[in-house]
Amino acid sequence: MPDNHHLDWTPKQFAYARAYELLNKAHVQAHLCTPETAKAATVELKKLAKRIHNSFLRMFGGKYLKKLCADNPKFAEAIKKERRLAAYCRADATLRRIEAEWEKEREAAEK
């Protein structure tokens, strides 16, 4: 039986899937530049492919999470609380990083 789960993909999902497929197979030929540069560029292509793949997976996760939240209000409330907590944690970490940078700048200015 053929796998037809891709038939309900959006155009964006098709584009991401195709971009991942192309970037994952791509490599820079060594005769176009130095071998070191070709190797480094190929590594960067693989990193891009991984980022696109992860974005593609997040699209599906969001779609199914919305469905679960619509079906179960208690679950939706738990997800909402978890997202608020995650946002708070990210903001707190950012604030601590900025405060450390300011402290270093103040110490450098005092010297």
Side-chain angles (χ1 to χ4, degrees):
M1 184 166 147
D3 185 13
N4 293 329
H5 71 279
H6 64 280
L7 294 178
D8 62 344
W9 288 359
T10 65
K12 183 177 181 178
Q13 290 169 327
F14 271 114
Y16 272 60
R18 183 67 177 138
Y20 168 73
E21 183 181 23
L22 292 173
L23 286 172
N24 199 37
K25 291 179 182 178
H27 67 279
V28 177
Q29 296 174 349
H31 68 79
L32 297 175
C33 53
T34 65
E36 295 81 21
T37 303
K39 186 175 182 177
T42 300
V43 168
E44 291 300 321
L45 287 171
K46 300 301 177 195
K47 287 180 186 177
L48 285 171
K50 184 177 180 182
R51 287 178 61 189
I52 287 174
H53 185 256
N54 289 341
S55 295
F56 180 76
L57 292 177
R58 276 193 303 275
M59 282 183 228
F60 282 107
K63 177 181 173 181
Y64 293 115
L65 192 58
K66 276 185 183 179
K67 185 179 180 331
L68 288 173
C69 289
D71 294 344
N72 186 345
K74 208 171 193 181
F75 180 75
E77 186 61 33
I79 289 294
K80 186 176 179 182
K81 286 180 182 178
E82 188 275 332
R83 286 186 172 167
R84 269 186 281 167
L85 178 61
Y88 171 79
C89 290
R90 283 190 306 272
D92 185 54
T94 301
L95 183 60
R96 280 186 275 144
R97 181 179 44 81
I98 290 171
E99 286 174 343
E101 290 173 6
W102 283 346
E103 187 63 33
K104 286 179 185 176
E105 288 177 9
R106 276 189 227 127
E107 289 173 2
E110 289 174 359
K111 291 182 180 180

